[in-house]
């Protein structure tokens, strides 16, 4: 493909990715009515692992214990994020689950600060404040409580942020 074709396809593909991502929360919520969480996650992770193993099979020769340890840490963080997100989805709505999951976007600069010592700028601080207000508006009920599903989903955002910070440091 040439560059102009890629430029023309960029916006429609971003919209398609957004539609797939957003609709996946509804599909997952409906799937959880019939399939246990860990079975669902096991199937998803197994399929992903097989595909990645097939695509990158030539790189298996370069695998050493540091590679396995780093991969295990990143995999554990990602698994915990998915597990908390999926269990949280059982106790909240797909829309709230999607919104609360996205808290990782705000947490990444602060977690990176804790790990690498680079302080977030004022825009990160403003984004964090807006995110907290948004979480409150979406999650809090009239009696100012959040559901157990909302809480688990917020924990998932912490693990997604940890995974994002770990990837460039390990890989």
């Amino acid at each position: 493909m040439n560059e102009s074709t890629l430029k023309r396809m960029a916006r429609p593909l971003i919209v398609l990715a957004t539609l797939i991502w957003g609709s996946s929360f509804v599909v997952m919520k409906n799937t959880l009515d019939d399939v246990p969480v860990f079975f669902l996650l096991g199937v998803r992770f197994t399929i992903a692992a097989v595909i990645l193993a097939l695509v990158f099979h030539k790189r298996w020769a370069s695998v050493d214990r540091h590679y396995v340890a780093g991969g295990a840490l990143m995999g554990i963080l990602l698994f915990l994020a998915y597990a908390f997100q999926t269990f949280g989805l059982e106790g909240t709505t797909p829309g709230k689950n999607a919104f609360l999951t996205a808290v990782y976007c705000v947490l990444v600069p602060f977690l990176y600060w804790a790990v690498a010592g680079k302080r977030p700028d004022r825009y990160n601080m403003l984004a964090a404040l807006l995110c907290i207000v948004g979480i409150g508006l979406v999650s809090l009920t009239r009696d100012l409580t959040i559901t157990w599903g909302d809480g688990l989903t917020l924990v998932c955002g912490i693990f997604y942020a940890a995974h994002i910070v770990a990837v460039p440091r390990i890989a």
Side-chain angles (χ1 to χ4, degrees):
M1 287 186 190
N2 61 35
E3 189 174 333
S4 65
T5 303
L6 290 174
K7 284 183 180 181
R8 282 194 317 270
M9 292 175 56
R11 283 194 179 144
L13 289 175
I14 287 175
V15 170
L16 178 63
T18 303
L19 289 171
I20 291 169
W21 181 80
S23 63
S24 70
F25 287 90
V26 176
V27 170
M28 290 291 289
K29 178 75 170 174
N30 293 333
T31 303
L32 288 172
D33 292 339
D34 300 317
V35 180
V37 171
F38 284 125
F39 182 79
L40 179 62
L41 292 175
V43 169
R44 290 180 73 186
F45 273 79
T46 300
I47 291 170
V50 168
I51 291 170
L52 287 172
L54 292 172
V55 170
F56 296 106
H57 69 279
K58 292 180 182 176
R59 294 190 183 182
W60 280 97
S62 65
V63 173
D64 62 10
R65 67 183 178 97
H66 296 292
Y67 191 89
V68 172
L73 176 61
M74 290 185 295
I76 289 167
L77 290 171
L78 191 58
F79 171 77
L80 288 170
Y82 273 105
F84 275 97
Q85 181 184 42
T86 309
F87 275 113
L89 187 56
E90 287 185 321
T92 193
T93 65
K96 284 172 67 175
N97 189 259
F99 180 80
L100 294 172
T101 294
V103 74
Y104 76 86
C105 297
V106 174
L107 295 178
V108 167
F110 296 99
L111 192 56
Y112 186 74
W113 181 18
V115 171
K118 184 179 180 213
R119 188 172 194 262
D121 62 22
R122 63 182 174 183
Y123 299 108
N124 298 125
M125 300 290 191
L126 179 62
L129 177 65
L130 290 173
C131 184
I132 290 168
V133 170
I135 288 170
L137 291 172
V138 168
S139 301
L140 295 174
T141 59
R142 288 186 180 151
D143 63 353
L144 299 178
T145 60
I146 57 175
T147 68
W148 61 269
D150 297 338
L152 291 178
T153 304
L154 285 169
V155 172
C156 107
I158 295 168
F159 283 114
Y160 276 124
H163 178 262
I164 290 168
V165 170
V167 168
R169 297 192 60 86
I170 294 171

